Amino acid sequence: MNRSDYHIKSYCRIRDGKISKDGELLFSDASEEFPAFIKAAYKYFETDYSKFFKMDNLSKLAFMGAEVLLRGNDEENTALILSNRASSLDTDRKHQAAISNPKGGFASPAVFVYTLPNICMGEISIRHKLYSENSFFIFAEFNPHLLSDYTNDLLETGKANEVLCGWVDYDKNKYDAFLYVIGKKGLLAHNTEELTKLYRTK
Amino acid sequence: MNNVYLSHNNIVSAYGFDSASAIDSIKNEVSGLSLVNDSNILPNPFYSSLIAQDSLSEAFQKLDPKEAYTRLEQILLVSLSDTIKKSGLELTDRVGLILSTTKGNIDVLETENPFDESRAYLAELGQKIEDFFGFKNEALVLSNACVSGVLALAVAKRFIRQKRYDHVFVVAGDLVSEFILSGFNSFQALSEAPCKPYCKTRSGINIGEVGCSILVTKDDNNLVDKSVRLIGEASCNDANHISGPSRTGEGLYRSIVSAMNQAKIDADAIDYISAHGTATLFNDEMEAIAFNRANLQDVPLNSLKGYFGHTLGASGLLETIIGMHSLYSNTLYASLGFDELGVSQPLNIIKETTSKESSIFLKTASGFGGCNTAAIFQKVNS
């Protein structure tokens, strides 16, 4: 149980070919593969950011979630607290396959840089000009208790005015993002029951 | 605000299996770096500091393991078992565990590795450590590039302040692997000689490995004679580039200012800076700019990379533990490898190991993804 004075301002869900915001379906696409789906989403939301196409799958997923939530949000001191299960393993496997190629493999710096899960927070920070706190945690599953504690601490100590936090996992063509913004005012109370309910809602 | 302290600690490194063996070597300016010729890891010979596998296996067998553990797990378990034992703490539900690593068991992705690929999942690594000692809480894994080790201390403090835990064991480690070296090599960032942070003749980074651990606690009954209080911490992003540091040192500068504000101190209260100093041109230059912007150019500063190389997700914790010893012995350790200043702004690099009465030090780290962390530590009895 976790109670705080803060609120869920907005939340975004990306999975199963669908993107929704605050419970409302904004976009759906029948593509079975993630790269086609996320590219269609990029176009649908009229995103103009060519660096998007250089990103790895995890960064694209986190980037689109942040795009849905932070567009029009002018709070400069928004901290990022993200978490997932698979870290950057999707890109790690690509880097490993390149260097262990029996014909003589070579590492690519453009791939290697994405072998860190926090890079997706770097991408969001650049896009939205956020010079703020970043922390990336790995959990076996979505852990609203620890995320809430950490969020409350950044807000209570004035390290951040708002926090974008949540879950962003990409592994073996399966993707699951649940991102939300916590601030002083908003739609719903910031507590773990509410977060668990929103995460589980299909 | 609550007092949060750093207490019992351990370093498993090329120097040995406790903090004292690393400190003794640093005091005598002995580098842990040596030329390694292992074509399984990198085609060319490279400088690194490696933990000897035979001594590690021997130390690990004393823990009486009941199953097979990877090399990184052995390093982490050997380090953490020493810290837990010395603390005498019972692992109740008020005790947390934070694992700080950038790549974990990444070597299990290699085809000849005997462990299952599932071992590469960091939560599984966390669980192995948690289960070995019987922690009551789920291990919290922090993977935030090269700031992980020092950020983990801030994270521990934040969870203690939220009353989630009373005590947190932080354990940090990363391996020297083909995965890592080939990546840094692709950036042409690896030096072919022992690294020389901030020096005019520097030519890049060395990668090393350590495992280290520490008790972070709110309880002043559980301190050691070198304990420090964590009085300020902050992490700010550069919002500039994912693989290159900001030219203005933006995120590092902001982190330092924010940490100083929280600690309620000015630049002149800082006696010593334990900097990141990877010995790449861009990193060292960025730090020089950030330290000057924060009016810290006259404060004695070193990088410990000339002793261990860059130990990735463990470096910040490793360097904090050494900073604690530096503070209490009132000794500033030489920044090994440094001859002549090779950055555009003035810095007060510690050229030789000297005595100086000290009570507060600043630790900084920066990493890929534009992340930066600054933390300020103060002697408990000052």
Side-chain angles (χ1 to χ4, degrees):
Chain A
M1 189 102 122
N2 171 287
R3 297 282 168 207
S4 77
D5 299 332
Y6 304 106
H7 288 82
I8 303 168
K9 271 183 79 178
S10 191
Y11 59 97
C12 171
R13 203 79 176 83
I14 307 179
R15 67 170 178 185
D16 300 332
K18 296 186 184 79
I19 299 181
S20 65
K21 183 186 180 188
D22 301 339
E24 183 195 343
L25 182 67
L26 298 182
F27 170 77
S28 69
D29 181 88
S31 303
E32 283 186 16
E33 300 290 319
F34 176 78
F37 160 72
I38 206 74
K39 193 176 167 187
Y42 173 92
K43 284 187 178 159
Y44 176 82
F45 290 106
E46 297 177 348
T47 322
D48 182 16
Y49 195 68
S50 58
K51 280 193 238 171
F52 178 80
F53 297 98
K54 293 182 185 168
M55 295 179 196
D56 74 338
N57 290 320
L58 177 65
S59 291
K60 283 178 178 165
L61 179 63
F63 179 93
M64 281 315 296
E67 205 60 18
V68 168
L69 292 174
L70 297 185
R71 226 183 244 190
N73 186 338
D74 53 8
E75 176 50 61
E76 287 177 2
N77 192 4
T78 299
L80 305 177
I81 309 172
L82 298 185
S83 59
N84 75 6
R85 175 172 179 274
S87 180
S88 53
L89 265 174
D90 179 56
T91 304
D92 297 351
R93 292 185 185 105
K94 285 180 187 148
H95 174 69
Q96 186 68 43
I99 61 176
S100 49
N101 183 338
K103 290 175 189 162
F106 286 100
S108 150
V111 173
F112 180 66
V113 68
Y114 287 101
T115 62
L116 294 166
N118 63 295
I119 295 294
C120 68
M121 297 188 299
E123 297 282 17
I124 295 169
S125 300
I126 296 167
R127 168 68 165 173
H128 299 281
K129 298 268 174 293
L130 302 176
Y131 300 96
S132 52
E133 288 270 345
N134 287 186
S135 300
F136 204 105
F137 296 105
I138 311 294
F139 300 127
E141 55 189 23
F142 175 59
N143 189 328
H145 303 275
L146 293 177
L147 290 174
S148 295
D149 274 5
Y150 200 66
T151 302
N152 290 340
D153 198 68
L154 292 184
L155 294 168
E156 284 167 15
T157 55
K159 295 260 185 237
N161 296 331
E162 292 189 358
V163 182
L164 170 69
C165 50
W167 180 257
V168 53
D169 196 43
Y170 185 94
D171 193 18
K172 298 175 178 167
N173 200 38
K174 283 210 171 94
Y175 54 97
D176 181 15
F178 171 53
L179 300 177
Y180 50 93
V181 178
I182 303 297
K184 288 201 172 65
K185 292 175 184 168
L187 294 171
L188 300 159
H190 176 221
N191 60 57
T192 54
E193 297 94 322
E194 198 67 67
L195 291 171
T196 305
K197 197 173 85 188
L198 295 177
Y199 176 69
R200 287 186 183 156
T201 306
K202 301 221 167 165
Chain B
M1 188 178 32
N2 297 333
N3 280 323
V4 172
Y5 307 95
L6 309 193
S7 181
H8 301 277
N9 57 79
N10 169 281
I11 298 171
V12 168
S13 71
Y15 294 120
F17 292 80
D18 55 15
S19 301
S21 52
I23 303 295
D24 285 345
S25 299
I26 292 169
K27 215 181 278 172
N28 296 316
E29 297 182 31
V30 176
S31 177
L33 295 167
S34 60
L35 193 64
V36 179
N37 203 342
D38 182 349
S39 58
N40 289 326
I41 302 183
L42 201 70
N44 310 320
F46 57 96
Y47 275 89
S48 183
S49 70
L50 301 175
I51 298 163
Q53 185 57 49
D54 49 353
S55 337
L56 175 65
S57 303
E58 199 182 307
F60 185 61
Q61 284 313 313
K62 288 183 190 153
L63 305 183
D64 195 19
K66 302 286 186 279
E67 55 178 295
Y69 288 89
T70 68
R71 180 169 150 75
L72 179 65
E73 287 159 5
Q74 292 180 25
I75 293 169
L76 298 173
L77 292 169
V78 166
S79 179
L80 187 53
S81 76
D82 183 47
T83 298
I84 293 175
K85 198 173 153 191
K86 283 191 293 202
S87 77
L89 269 181
E90 191 192 339
L91 301 180
T92 66
D93 62 357
R94 300 301 303 158
V95 179
L97 169 64
I98 297 177
L99 166 63
S100 153
T101 184
T102 57
K103 292 316 308 167
N105 284 319
I106 199 65
D107 54 326
V108 304
L109 294 188
E110 293 165 11
T111 41
E112 64 275 21
N113 190 291
F115 288 91
D116 192 82
E117 200 206 276
S118 63
R119 208 70 159 227
Y121 286 86
L122 295 180
E124 187 157 330
L125 171 62
Q127 184 150 19
K128 286 286 171 199
I129 309 295
E130 173 193 323
D131 290 349
F132 188 91
F133 297 106
F135 277 89
K136 302 284 185 294
N137 288 297
E138 180 187 347
L140 206 157
V141 184
L142 179 71
S143 186
N144 215 92
C146 300
V147 309
S148 304
V150 64
L151 179 58
L153 298 171
V155 170
K157 178 175 182 173
R158 291 166 184 180
F159 281 107
I160 288 173
R161 204 161 40 201
Q162 289 298 312
K163 301 187 170 56
R164 169 78 45 186
Y165 309 119
D166 296 330
H167 318 275
V168 179
F169 286 96
V170 177
V171 60
D174 267 300
L175 293 178
V176 170
S177 61
E178 181 195 22
F179 187 100
I180 291 294
L181 285 181
S182 66
F184 277 100
N185 203 29
S186 76
F187 273 105
Q188 299 181 318
L190 290 182
S191 172
E192 289 177 353
C195 69
K196 305 184 77 174
Y198 311 109
C199 187
K200 210 167 192 171
T201 56
R202 70 196 180 289
S203 58
I205 208 168
N206 301 142
I207 304 292
E209 64 188 10
V210 297
C212 45
S213 53
I214 198 159
L215 172 65
V216 183
T217 178
K218 66 171 195 175
D219 185 356
D220 59 13
N221 292 319
N222 211 330
L223 304 186
V224 289
D225 60 1
K226 294 181 176 62
S227 282
V228 292
R229 194 184 275 120
L230 174 48
I231 58 173
E233 24 72 27
S235 288
C236 298
N237 199 286
D238 286 329
N240 171 254
H241 198 279
I242 52 168
S243 60
S246 156
R247 284 182 188 278
T248 57
E250 197 60 39
L252 180 56
Y253 166 72
R254 287 178 187 237
S255 302
I256 293 168
V257 170
S258 173
M260 288 200 299
N261 286 341
Q262 186 176 25
K264 297 190 176 65
I265 58 162
D266 294 322
D268 57 12
I270 294 173
D271 297 300
Y272 156 60
I273 303 170
S274 174
H276 192 49
T278 61
T280 65
L281 207 64
F282 292 117
N283 174 84
D284 293 3
E285 178 64 18
M286 178 279 282
E287 286 187 30
I289 291 166
F291 290 133
N292 275 269
R293 286 180 70 187
N295 280 322
L296 292 165
Q297 64 277 5
D298 298 327
V299 181
L301 168 153
N302 64 9
S303 157
L304 297 167
K305 303 295 190 283
Y307 298 92
F308 298 92
H310 185 1
T311 55
L312 307 173
S315 60
L317 179 56
L318 168 75
E319 292 157 9
T320 298
I321 294 172
I322 293 163
M324 291 164 63
H325 286 264
S326 185
L327 214 58
Y328 272 89
S329 58
N330 293 306
T331 307
L332 300 176
Y333 302 124
S335 196
L336 206 63
F338 178 80
D339 303 313
E340 194 184 347
L341 195 67
V343 290
S344 70
Q345 309 273 316
L347 285 178
N348 182 6
I349 311 285
I350 304 163
K351 289 186 184 149
E352 47 194 47
T353 298
T354 42
S355 297
K356 188 197 171 193
E357 193 70 32
S358 306
S359 68
I360 292 181
F361 83 99
L362 165 69
K363 172 78 206 110
T364 66
S366 303
F368 277 170
C371 54
N372 301 272
T373 298
I376 301 173
F377 304 93
Q378 183 177 34
K379 271 181 184 168
V380 171
N381 302 314
S382 66

